[in-house]
Amino acid sequence: MAFHPVKIESIQRHNERLIFLTVEKPAGFRYKPGQFVRLGIALKDNPASEEDFLVRPYSLASHPDEPVLSFYIARVLDGALTPKLFEKAPGEILYVDDTAYGMMLPERLQEGGTLMCFASGSGLSAFLSVVKDNPWKRFDNVVIVHCARMAADISLTPLFMQAVKAQHREVNFRFIAATTREPDPAKQGEITKRVPDAIREGDFTAMGFDFSPKWIRAMICGNPGFVDAVKAALKEKGFSAARGAKPGTYVAENFW
């Protein structure tokens, strides 16, 4: 295991809490859509051991064929790393692990039906990579459900639509915003409650989905509380996790 220096190619500042960060990809670096990698900074000049770095896991938003690695990162106010990342500028150096991790992969789901991806906050990052990789080769339709407190924190929609249009799949795609604390009715998402409650209370059924493991395949990425709550709601409806080589009707990844 080693950390490679990578140059920051661009930083898009969506608001004071969210950035879309792109760095060069190390030669030979490989990963699958849905995986994450450790990214961070060196704590000293000429770092020589893993203890000389401050890194955290971040889901990859880029496609494996792209020449860069992209990340959707939320600022943690009292965090050790993200405040420093938000101070960086293009041309500066970060460090990336040489190995990607994670088993939240579309191929671990049963084929067919509608792929419904549930994300909280910057956990959405992994699903942009998934959407760029033609998930329609396994599923009939793809739905992204992004949960955030405020409408301003749902800021990757244009990149999703760009990826969908490039694959001519607009008719087979839907992006659903879920805002839990947005006070402006004009900015509120289609869902205005916690996603697990929306699952239990039939909001997705009311939108026209046959919300059962017969027709829905689910991916879940976000903070541990969100992931655990969505998994619990899915299990109540008969969904089952992928186990080893046996495909399931849902897969999940905690974002930290």
Side-chain angles (χ1 to χ4, degrees), residues 10-122:
S10 65
I11 301 179
Q12 299 174 19
R13 303 183 187 277
H14 291 193
N15 55 42
E16 69 277 8
R17 298 178 298 278
L18 292 164
I19 59 173
F20 193 77
L21 173 69
T22 299
V23 303
E24 60 185 350
K25 183 167 68 174
F29 182 80
R30 296 181 180 180
Y31 63 97
K32 295 181 178 181
Q35 290 191 306
F36 62 88
V37 67
R38 293 190 296 169
L39 173 78
I41 62 173
L43 296 173
K44 60 170 66 173
D45 294 335
N46 303 314
S49 67
E50 188 163 337
E51 291 70 29
D52 296 336
F53 298 92
L54 175 60
V55 296
R56 295 289 185 269
Y58 295 103
S59 291
L60 289 146
S62 46
H63 186 272
D65 290 342
E66 293 181 47
V68 296
L69 304 178
S70 296
F71 306 89
Y72 188 48
I73 299 175
R75 186 186 193 111
V76 180
L77 293 179
D78 57 351
L81 178 59
T82 56
K84 294 179 174 61
L85 293 181
F86 272 63
E87 295 172 356
K88 296 293 183 180
E92 294 190 62
I93 298 297
L94 297 177
Y95 288 82
V96 66
D97 197 346
D98 61 359
T99 304
Y101 305 90
M103 295 299 292
M104 188 189 68
L105 307 171
E107 55 261 40
R108 298 187 68 223
L109 293 168
Q110 296 174 14
E111 289 193 36
T114 293
L115 174 64
M116 191 167 281
C117 302
F118 297 97
S120 67
S122 55

Side-chain angles (χ1 to χ4, degrees), residues 84-226:
K84 294 179 174 61
L85 293 181
F86 272 63
E87 295 172 356
K88 296 293 183 180
E92 294 190 62
I93 298 297
L94 297 177
Y95 288 82
V96 66
D97 197 346
D98 61 359
T99 304
Y101 305 90
M103 295 299 292
M104 188 189 68
L105 307 171
E107 55 261 40
R108 298 187 68 223
L109 293 168
Q110 296 174 14
E111 289 193 36
T114 293
L115 174 64
M116 191 167 281
C117 302
F118 297 97
S120 67
S122 55
L124 184 67
S125 190
F127 298 137
L128 182 55
S129 184
V130 169
V131 166
K132 289 178 177 180
D133 196 48
N134 185 20
W136 297 276
K137 62 193 172 191
R138 288 182 59 85
F139 310 102
D140 300 323
N141 302 289
V142 177
V143 178
I144 301 295
V145 181
H146 187 199
C147 181
R149 294 181 179 182
M150 310 293 286
D153 295 327
I154 298 178
S155 59
L156 276 193
T157 314
L159 289 183
F160 275 92
M161 296 312 303
Q162 178 181 326
V164 171
K165 289 178 180 178
Q167 298 170 86
H168 308 289
R169 288 291 186 173
E170 296 95 321
V171 72
N172 303 108
F173 179 80
R174 184 169 177 180
F175 193 104
I176 298 173
T179 53
T180 58
R181 299 188 185 181
E182 176 57 62
D184 185 348
K187 296 180 180 179
Q188 291 174 348
E190 290 184 71
I191 295 173
T192 56
K193 63 181 72 168
R194 296 174 66 249
V195 168
D197 294 336
I199 292 172
R200 291 189 176 97
E201 295 170 13
D203 290 53
F204 293 102
T205 301
M207 291 178 181
F209 298 103
D210 185 346
F211 202 91
S212 75
K214 181 178 180 180
W215 301 109
I216 299 293
R217 308 290 177 258
M219 300 181 75
I220 317 161
C221 188
N223 68 73
F226 174 86

